Amino acid sequence: FVGEGQLGNEDGRVREARIDLVRAWLDAGHELGNQTYRHMNLYDTPLDAWQENVVRGESLLRRLLGERGQTLRWFSYPYLNTGPDAETRRAAAAFLKGRGYSVHPVTIDSLDFLFANAHQEALRRSDAETARRIAAEYVPYMERMMEFYEGLSRDVFGREIPQVLMLTTSPVVADQFDEMAAMLKRRGYRFVT
């Protein structure tokens, strides 16, 4: 899920390099979705401003998908927050449906962005030891999250359900992904497209 505003505007070269990364994901066969322009939380943003942010976040994705004969159909609520009350949730859902969106399912929100942010901050400070320690704790943390959500599914449904894991695109997740995938497979998971 792409937040177009996070692709950067500091100079055209940086923005174009980041757009090339989005193109690479599409060229690899991945379907991308909109996460608003500025990753605004509907819980504390007026609905009309949030809707404008959704529309603003579509322009690049619609163009890039259109170049490949695809349409933009997926939306991800920033922070998975669907609004502060039932009226806002209904209005936001109707707005998204009217624009042709489906909201992606998530059953496991590991909050891994906290690892991503801490790791990035350690790297920014050139603190290699802290970055290494954060990376070393990532997979054990993710395994604890899997245990929690597996238990929750047994408590709620009386069985384990198919899970949809949400991950943050970041260096720490990428660097640890092979180990995390091995952990998930050990736990009996298989990946579906």
Side-chain angles (χ1 to χ4, degrees):
F1 290 93
V2 177
E4 186 175 338
Q6 296 175 328
L7 295 176
N9 292 316
E10 41 301 317
D11 74 42
R13 240 185 28 237
V14 170
R15 180 171 170 78
E16 196 56 37
R18 291 177 179 168
I19 291 171
D20 284 343
L21 291 173
V22 174
R23 286 185 182 107
W25 278 80
L26 289 167
D27 292 343
H30 298 287
E31 186 174 6
L32 302 182
N34 183 2
Q35 195 172 30
T36 75
Y37 186 80
R38 286 276 180 214
H39 205 254
M40 295 173 89
N41 188 344
L42 183 54
Y43 190 81
D44 56 13
T45 302
L47 180 62
D48 59 341
W50 182 85
Q51 290 171 330
E52 290 172 16
N53 199 45
V54 170
V55 172
R56 190 172 179 202
E58 296 174 351
S59 60
L60 173 70
L61 283 172
R62 285 199 190 278
R63 179 172 55 85
L64 294 177
L65 287 164
E67 290 170 1
R68 290 156 178 81
Q70 300 173 1
T71 58
L72 180 58
R73 67 181 181 134
W74 291 108
F75 182 79
S76 179
Y77 282 93
Y79 309 101
L80 301 178
N81 187 292
T82 59
D85 53 57
E87 180 182 337
T88 302
R89 286 189 289 278
R90 279 193 297 274
F95 169 78
L96 294 171
K97 184 177 181 183
R99 296 195 67 77
Y101 283 111
S102 294
V103 176
H104 71 91
V106 174
T107 62
I108 299 176
D109 177 16
S110 66
L111 303 176
D112 70 338
F113 70 90
L114 297 171
F115 274 82
N117 292 350
H119 187 259
Q120 182 177 349
E121 178 60 22
L123 293 176
R124 187 193 64 73
R125 293 189 325 263
S126 299
D127 185 349
E129 176 56 25
T130 298
R132 185 200 62 72
R133 286 194 347 257
I134 291 167
E137 284 299 317
Y138 178 71
V139 174
Y141 167 79
M142 290 298 292
E143 187 150 21
R144 289 190 301 275
M145 295 303 291
M146 300 308 295
E147 290 168 358
F148 171 78
Y149 281 102
E150 290 162 4
L152 183 61
S153 74
R154 287 189 300 273
D155 291 347
V156 172
F157 299 106
R159 62 185 172 82
E160 289 193 30
I161 63 170
Q163 301 282 10
V164 178
L165 172 62
M166 183 170 164
L167 296 174
T168 301
T169 304
S170 70
V172 71
V173 173
D175 291 346
Q176 300 299 312
F177 189 79
D178 288 345
E179 186 179 336
M180 185 175 63
M183 175 270 293
L184 292 171
K185 287 179 181 177
R186 274 194 322 274
R187 297 187 72 77
Y189 289 94
R190 61 184 176 83
F191 299 93
V192 294
T193 60

